[in-house]
Amino acid sequence: LGASKVVHRCVAQKWVQYALGRMPTLEEEGLVGEVGTKFIESHGDLRTLLTEIVTSQTFRMRRKP
């Protein structure tokens, strides 16, 4: 499972969902894809995944519920 791109993308999607506190919208699916790609390229480095999420404009500019 550690080498599976499907698993890496799923992990990225779940972390984005957790970080935003909601499901990503259709407009934010690009973010999920970008974060997933960077996570795969980093060979599953969790620090890279989290850095990509918190430095994204979507995360930094999110509205309070």
Side-chain angles (χ1 to χ4, degrees):
L1 292 175
S4 171
K5 290 181 180 180
V6 173
V7 171
H8 281 78
R9 290 193 192 283
C10 182
V11 168
Q13 179 181 15
K14 294 301 181 183
W15 272 94
V16 168
Q17 179 181 340
Y18 179 77
L20 296 177
R22 59 177 169 72
M23 292 292 293
T25 64
L26 288 176
E27 294 83 21
E28 295 165 341
E29 286 300 318
L31 168 65
V32 175
E34 289 174 28
V35 168
T37 298
K38 295 283 187 177
F39 188 48
I40 290 168
E41 290 172 353
S42 73
H43 304 286
D45 181 48
L46 191 56
R47 191 172 300 196
T48 298
L49 173 66
L50 296 176
T51 301
E52 289 296 320
I53 293 170
V54 300
T55 59
S56 71
Q57 184 170 352
T58 301
F59 180 81
R60 291 181 292 119
M61 305 302 269
R62 69 189 191 282
R63 296 181 188 161
K64 288 178 82 172

